[in-house]
Amino acid sequence: DTEVTQTPKHLVMGMTNKKSLKCEQHMGHRAMYWYKQKAKKPPELMFVYSYEKLSINESVPSRFSPECPNSSLLNLHLHALQPEDSALYLCASSLGQGAEGEKLFFGSGTQLSVL
Amino acid sequence: SQKIEQNSEALNIQEGKTATLTCNYTNYSPAYLQWYRQDPGRGPVFLLLIRENEKEKRKERLKVTFDTTLKQSLFHITASQPADSATYLCALVPYRGSTLGRLYFGRGTQLTVWP
């Protein structure tokens, strides 16, 4: 299994809602990532988990809360989002052995619309 | 400022020709550079990695070069096909020894191959 699976594929939420994005991989990867991508822009790194511990937070607002329950799962909890948070949210994983040049395996993303 | 530039937002070529995409960077010293393909509404897919001590890397119809003096990578697709139409992203970890996962992406070049 060489896939990263993200659910849901599409999500529409109001500014007062609480929702969660889910990501799963069964490749034995130990590093998992959340990226945010707006139309015609590059993916922007949000969070990195390495061996189930948060290792990078790129100064993301607290209305985004990541969680890594185990080495195969990664969640992104959303609360009180703004319309400008509408974007494609991508999950990725890599071996996590610390070797330079590790390639990322991306999921298909969750297209989020905040009304 | 630090940035990654892919100099063409869009490139249109005829089937059978060679597509050449450019990635330039400033104020970084990457040990390697990666190229990804992204289709609309999907996550990026890893294509090739080239290290700073490698001048050229090939994989089937793909070729990547890396010139650390010019701070530039070129990505070539030979004998292009309509199925090659996609957005191509270059990505790098900005400095040798950078924390695992801090991979930065360029904006991408949207390639269209017409019959």
Side-chain angles (χ1 to χ4, degrees), chain B residues 10-28:
Chain B
L11 179 64
N12 300 313
I13 64 166
Q14 188 176 23
E15 183 175 10
K17 303 289 187 187
T18 296
T20 299
L21 287 63
T22 305
C23 178
N24 295 290
Y25 57 91
T26 55
N27 296 328
Y28 291 137

Side-chain angles (χ1 to χ4, degrees), chain B residues 77-91:
Chain B
I77 306 176
T78 58
S80 58
Q81 304 166 0
D84 295 326
S85 299
T87 296
Y88 292 86
L89 304 160
C90 69

Side-chain angles (χ1 to χ4, degrees), chain A residues 68-106:
Chain A
C68 189
N70 60 55
S71 60
S72 299
L73 294 174
L74 186 66
N75 299 321
L76 186 63
H77 303 297
L78 314 173
H79 174 55
L81 294 194
Q82 304 297 310
E84 59 264 28
D85 296 323
S86 299
L88 181 68
Y89 287 84
L90 293 164
C91 173
S93 70
S94 68
L95 278 171
Q97 299 300 312
E100 288 190 348
E102 283 197 9
K103 61 186 181 184
L104 299 188
F105 291 77
F106 281 88

Side-chain angles (χ1 to χ4, degrees), chain A residues 7-101:
Chain A
T7 56
K9 291 195 184 309
H10 302 275
L11 180 62
V12 179
M13 60 186 291
M15 289 190 284
T16 58
N17 292 156
K18 285 186 183 181
K19 297 285 185 184
S20 296
L21 309 185
K22 297 187 182 303
C23 175
E24 191 169 2
Q25 57 86 16
H26 295 289
M27 294 179 278
H29 288 177
R30 303 312 299 266
M32 296 187 77
Y33 311 75
W34 281 114
Y35 278 84
K36 172 183 176 179
Q37 187 177 27
K38 294 223 161 205
K40 297 195 181 298
K41 298 284 189 182
E44 293 178 1
L45 183 64
M46 299 175 71
F47 302 105
V48 181
Y49 273 83
S50 178
Y51 291 81
E52 300 165 46
K53 288 186 171 17
L54 183 65
S55 61
I56 296 177
N57 177 343
E58 291 284 83
S59 303
V60 179
S62 59
R63 57 186 184 269
F64 296 91
S65 175
E67 179 196 19
C68 189
N70 60 55
S71 60
S72 299
L73 294 174
L74 186 66
N75 299 321
L76 186 63
H77 303 297
L78 314 173
H79 174 55
L81 294 194
Q82 304 297 310
E84 59 264 28
D85 296 323
S86 299
L88 181 68
Y89 287 84
L90 293 164
C91 173
S93 70
S94 68
L95 278 171
Q97 299 300 312
E100 288 190 348

Side-chain angles (χ1 to χ4, degrees), chain A residues 31 33 35 37 40-43 45 48 50 55-56 58 88 90 94 96 98-104 106-108, chain B residues 9 31-32 34 36 38 41-44 46 49 51 89 95-107 110:
Chain A
Y33 311 75
Y35 278 84
Q37 187 177 27
K40 297 195 181 298
K41 298 284 189 182
L45 183 64
V48 181
S50 178
S55 61
I56 296 177
E58 291 284 83
L88 181 68
L90 293 164
S94 68
E100 288 190 348
E102 283 197 9
K103 61 186 181 184
L104 299 188
F106 281 88
S108 291
Chain B
E9 189 171 324
Y32 59 89
Q34 301 182 7
Y36 289 77
Q38 186 172 24
R42 307 298 298 269
F46 173 83
L49 176 151
R51 301 185 188 281
L89 304 160
Y95 303 105
R96 217 167 282 105
S98 290
T99 305
L100 172 68
R102 189 163 266 124
L103 190 66
Y104 293 156
F105 285 83
R107 180 188 297 260
Q110 185 174 338

